[in-house]
Amino acid sequence: MASLAAASTANSNSSNSNSNSNSNSNNSNASTNTAPVNENQSPQKKLINLLRGWPAPSLLPASDLQSAANYVLSDPAIAVPVLQYGIDPGYQPLREELARCLSELYPKYSAPSSSSPDDGDGGCGKAIRTEGKGAGITADEITITGGASQSLACVLQSFTDPGFTRAVWVVAPCYFMACPIFEDNGFRGRLRAVPEDDGGVDVGVLEKRIRECEAEPWEHRPLKNPYHDRKLYRHVIYLVATCANPSGKTMSLARREQLVHLAREYDALIISDDVYDLLQWPVTPLSSLPPAPTSSSSSASSFPLPPLLPLLSQIDAALPPSRHNPPGTNKSFGHAISNASFSKLVGPGVRTGWIHASAADFAHGFSVTGTNRSGGAASQFAAAIVWRVLAEGRLGAHVDHVVRPALRRRHALILDIIGRVLGPLGVSVWGGNGVGGAGREGRYRCRTGEGNEEEEAEVYGGYFVWLTLPEGIDSAVVAERAKAEEELVVAPGKIFEVAGDESAARFPRNLRLSYSWADEEDIVEGVERLGRVLERMLEGGAGDLTAKRNIQGDTQEFK
């Protein structure tokens, strides 16, 4: 599989003259307000935050960005346009560079010969995967955004209407900070949880609930006029298809095809936050991995990116035009978009991302959202900086040699300490996906250690692990006691329930731990502190109802 660096370097010079062409923010600013002090609390302890979904400072390519900024600002032919208002679809050189890179990285996909997907273990249809160029993604299908969160808000502004769109279906456990964005766009009380099974989103449950929703009385009273550039969707489906936050699951090809067919049947728009696709690795023991990388100039820690599955937007694009396109307009909007970001690849502060739409008409419709028409596409200057580091191959080298190896090692480290400290206490953790996604038995063949031998491994990615606690242990109580007794911040499962529909999918025994932010020694110490909390709870009984009552409102602080 071609790396991000290889996908970019060959085109670094061809875009220099085109100067005018994101989660999924995990901006989990956890409150550090302390609970009442008790006898177990040690005021001298350093606070360890295993909630925060930020990249560690060592993973930020500051020098590469400085070099790119110098290049952009030193040439008036580039500097003047990028310091002015941008064109609506976003900085054109970045759109073109992204199209080339994504076409290199993602496999070619052709629609199945049958009209409906197969749910068998063997997958569905005739998907063609290639090791090199193949996806055929074009710049017309891409729009530059201000990151995945801003992009989600703009999509809702332009393509949904609380008087027309019946429900927002959110895969649970969910990226909890997306819920306020939906609520701010008029869908408070209209978010519906869809549970995961071993393969990711349970499409059968989703279809059953959509049918029930469709059977309910409904007055269509749209408040918006989409004009000829856009359309309104009856439903929205929101998920993280690859390395889901928080569960870590990746949807298989067959499950992706099922979901796309479902969206096309019920006029739904799938919004997939695809922010972790390029941050995947084979799961191997900590002992087989080299020390944490410190520089993108060293290739000692690099390894090939495991094969990527087609984007949901690719699958939708390969199918015939939808019967839900506006009649008499000759427009085709599709039913799936990939909402991606540079936050995990470069840094959240650049606030730059992109959408890939299954139809160019959708990308254009997004670009004429009111905020884009008024101020031009978001992040014009930052987009030019990102374009330069991408086109030069610096970003690819940084991701290949620093970011992914560091995250792979951190993930192996946290699995190792969880197994040694929490495993004996009855805690389990989702460990990884088959090469074809969650629930698939196929494993990825990779080289481990210093030798050339290949072994089979599961595939994982992203920033988080998802724990299941023993029966009778409430994760909200664990989180509160961890902060009060051990100066440890962790994310209880209840904050990943869908706002307004919590009872449809509850997670009282789950915790999410981040390994992206804390230093390695703090990851180890943090899990050991968590183990001490669990030991005390198991020894003293888990039914601490007083503590549980006290934290019902306080857990909102974790948002």
Side-chain angles (χ1 to χ4, degrees):
M1 175 61 64
S3 69
L4 184 61
S8 303
T9 306
N11 300 292
S12 62
N13 295 321
S14 62
S15 299
N16 288 353
S17 61
N18 296 326
S19 62
N20 202 25
S21 65
N22 84 137
S23 184
N24 204 13
S25 152
N26 283 291
N27 184 0
S28 305
N29 292 313
S31 168
T32 58
N33 295 336
T34 59
V37 177
N38 61 43
E39 66 275 11
N40 292 313
Q41 187 176 29
S42 173
Q44 286 77 36
K45 284 182 178 174
K46 167 187 175 182
L47 178 69
I48 295 178
N49 191 331
L50 297 185
L51 181 152
R52 177 170 283 174
W54 294 10
S58 61
L59 303 183
L60 301 175
S63 61
D64 291 335
L65 293 174
Q66 183 178 36
S67 174
N70 289 338
Y71 176 89
V72 167
L73 293 174
S74 297
D75 184 349
I78 301 175
V80 172
V82 303
L83 291 173
Q84 297 284 7
Y85 294 107
I87 62 174
D88 296 343
Y91 189 57
Q92 185 65 19
L94 180 56
R95 295 174 71 204
E96 294 174 357
E97 192 61 36
L98 276 168
R100 282 190 283 267
C101 290
L102 298 177
S103 293
E104 291 266 356
L105 291 165
Y106 285 93
K108 182 178 180 180
Y109 176 83
S110 64
S113 54
S114 60
S115 59
S116 61
D118 172 20
D119 61 359
D121 287 341
C124 145
K126 306 292 183 183
I128 302 174
R129 292 175 175 79
T130 59
E131 288 298 309
K133 299 178 181 179
I137 292 171
T138 67
D140 288 343
E141 300 164 348
I142 293 173
T143 301
I144 305 305
T145 71
S149 298
Q150 183 264 0
S151 172
L152 177 59
C154 285
V155 168
L156 297 175
Q157 290 171 32
S158 286
F159 294 96
T160 69
D161 184 330
F164 181 85
T165 306
R166 304 197 61 162
V168 176
W169 305 93
V170 182
V171 177
C174 72
Y175 169 57
F176 59 92
M177 297 197 76
C179 293
I181 301 175
F182 290 113
E183 291 180 330
D184 286 350
N185 280 274
F187 292 102
R188 186 177 181 85
R190 306 256 291 283
L191 276 63
R192 299 290 179 262
V194 184
E196 288 184 331
D197 61 15
D198 287 343
V201 55
D202 191 325
V203 178
V205 170
L206 174 57
E207 181 167 22
K208 178 178 179 291
R209 295 200 65 191
I210 289 180
R211 284 178 176 172
E212 293 171 350
C213 179
E214 289 282 311
E216 295 172 358
W218 177 260
E219 292 185 10
H220 291 273
R221 294 186 176 178
L223 306 174
K224 301 179 182 179
N225 184 346
Y227 302 102
H228 65 280
D229 291 314
R230 292 166 285 186
K231 68 155 285 183
L232 300 177
Y233 290 86
R234 286 172 63 85
H235 300 272
V236 171
I237 301 169
Y238 173 77
L239 76 162
V240 182
T242 300
C243 307
N245 175 8
S247 75
K249 295 177 181 177
T250 293
M251 290 177 63
S252 69
L253 174 59
R255 191 67 66 92
R256 292 170 191 241
E257 290 171 328
Q258 293 165 26
L259 185 63
V260 169
H261 279 265
L262 181 69
R264 293 169 72 91
E265 175 67 23
Y266 294 99
D267 192 20
L269 173 64
I270 301 170
I271 304 173
S272 178
D273 274 1
D274 295 326
V275 298
Y276 301 116
D277 288 42
L278 305 183
L279 300 180
Q280 298 184 73
W281 52 83
V283 180
T284 53
L286 178 63
S287 59
S288 70
L289 301 178
T294 58
S295 170
S296 60
S297 62
S298 171
S299 60
S301 301
S302 65
F303 53 90
L305 178 69
L308 299 179
L309 289 166
L311 297 165
L312 288 158
S313 51
Q314 285 182 262
I315 295 172
D316 187 45
L319 297 172
S322 169
R323 63 186 175 90
H324 296 291
N325 284 322
T329 64
N330 248 353
K331 298 277 187 179
S332 180
F333 290 93
H335 289 274
I337 64 169
S338 171
N339 188 26
S341 173
F342 287 104
S343 292
K344 309 298 186 293
L345 306 175
V346 178
V350 299
R351 302 315 309 141
T352 305
W354 72 93
I355 62 166
H356 172 253
S358 56
D361 287 331
F362 188 102
H364 171 73
F366 179 95
S367 75
V368 297
T369 301
T371 51
N372 274 14
R373 297 305 300 271
S374 173
S379 305
Q380 170 79 347
F381 176 66
I385 306 302
V386 171
W387 157 73
R388 181 60 182 172
V389 294
L390 183 61
E392 275 193 307
R394 288 178 179 243
L395 178 56
H398 178 71
V399 172
D400 288 348
H401 302 312
V402 176
V403 180
R404 284 196 296 122
L407 292 175
R408 181 190 188 187
R409 178 177 169 81
R410 287 159 169 264
H411 176 244
L413 177 67
I414 201 168
L415 287 185
D416 180 75
I417 191 66
I418 287 171
R420 290 190 285 112
V421 173
L422 304 184
L425 301 177
V427 177
S428 60
V429 59
W430 173 262
N433 303 284
V435 70
R440 299 290 160 180
E441 294 182 358
R443 307 183 85 193
Y444 176 59
R445 292 195 64 82
C446 64
R447 183 171 61 84
T448 60
E450 298 297 328
N452 292 319
E453 297 93 0
E454 286 193 346
E455 296 182 10
E456 291 188 341
E458 292 181 314
V459 176
Y460 202 78
Y463 276 12
F464 311 104
V465 290
W466 186 237
L467 306 185
T468 301
L469 304 179
E471 290 282 354
I473 299 292
D474 189 289
S475 63
V477 178
V478 172
E480 182 71 5
R481 290 186 59 168
K483 179 62 179 66
E485 299 171 10
E486 295 285 350
E487 283 295 295
L488 172 68
V489 183
V490 295
K494 69 175 298 175
I495 71 172
F496 303 98
E497 296 167 358
V498 175
D501 197 26
E502 292 87 351
S503 62
R506 292 196 179 278
F507 309 100
R509 291 173 51 210
N510 294 105
L511 284 173
R512 190 195 74 176
L513 303 184
S514 167
Y515 48 82
S516 65
W517 169 253
D519 293 335
E520 288 191 3
E521 58 269 26
D522 286 344
I523 292 173
V524 173
E525 172 65 20
V527 174
E528 290 175 345
R529 292 184 189 181
L530 180 60
R532 291 197 289 269
V533 172
L534 288 172
E535 283 180 345
R536 289 193 288 267
M537 292 181 68
L538 290 167
E539 290 171 358
D544 189 348
L545 299 181
T546 301
K548 186 174 180 179
R549 282 196 299 270
N550 288 341
I551 55 83
Q552 291 302 310
D554 295 342
T555 52
Q556 298 302 311
E557 296 175 355
F558 289 107
K559 295 185 179 183

